[in-house]
Amino acid sequence: GENVEQHPSTLSVQEGDSAVIKCTYSDSASNYFPWYKQELGKRPQLIIDIRSNVGEKKDQRIAVTLNKTAKHFSLHITETQPEDSAVYFCAVESSNYQLIWGAGTKLIIKP
Amino acid sequence: ETGVTQTPRHLVMGMTNKKSLKCEQHLGHNAMYWYKQSAKKPLELMFVYNFKEQTENNSVPSRFSPECPNSSHLFLHLHTLQPEDSALYLCASSQGAGLRPNQPQHFGDGTRLSIL
């Protein structure tokens, strides 16, 4: 079945700098790749997703890139702000349309 | 956002107790999910319901018993739980699971469960 690995597990960046989180997956047939943000004590929320027919998608300071050949996709956050501090989860849609989740990355924004 | 509501938010129970978690969605979705979230581990999918029918049971112990009376409500009945069952239990919904691709999931705030 699908296997998703997410790195790093913790990422600390200076406010204003960029943050990059990467996920790799195993099933080359996967076509949908969402990213969720979970703030402390709150629910996971979808922040951006990408489908396999595009290589990059951007929404203001957030972007996701997809490399289907290498089977990895990354979340990029530019000009980081304190409110970006959270745990970020990647997910991959499996062949039966279920989401397989990464273990999460705790992003810490240092003032 | 109040699309998916879970109650209670916190629950402390002994190993011999019986309790139930409740989830309700107001998004008109057809699929509902139960996840277990433990520290530093991926979200663990427990159960999936499509149009009230259970379509996934990921080897979950029988001490967890789901119930889906309609597409808007989902319950998780708990009995004789173990200390390792302490975790955050998240409910989610989507347009359809296993039927249509590329369907984002919408989560509730979860129930923080502690087993004494």
Side-chain angles (χ1 to χ4, degrees), chain B residues 4-67:
Chain B
V4 181
T5 305
Q6 287 187 245
T7 54
R9 291 294 310 276
H10 303 273
L11 180 61
V12 180
M13 56 188 286
M15 288 190 286
T16 58
N17 292 157
K18 288 185 179 181
K19 296 286 184 183
S20 296
L21 310 184
K22 180 183 177 181
C23 177
E24 186 174 355
Q25 59 96 1
H26 305 279
L27 300 169
H29 289 164
N30 298 311
M32 297 187 77
Y33 311 76
W34 278 117
Y35 285 93
K36 177 183 179 182
Q37 186 176 34
S38 305
K40 299 184 179 181
K41 293 177 69 175
L43 284 166
E44 298 175 51
L45 180 64
M46 300 175 71
F47 301 104
V48 182
Y49 278 82
N50 265 314
F51 296 93
K52 305 186 300 177
E53 298 299 320
Q54 188 179 121
T55 56
E56 293 281 339
N57 176 341
N58 283 359
S59 304
V60 180
S62 59
R63 56 186 185 269
F64 295 92
S65 175
E67 178 189 359

Side-chain angles (χ1 to χ4, degrees), chain A residues 95-107:
Chain A
S95 56
N96 64 349
Y97 306 142
Q98 303 296 353
L99 290 181
I100 310 300
W101 298 84
T105 296
K106 184 176 182 180
L107 178 61

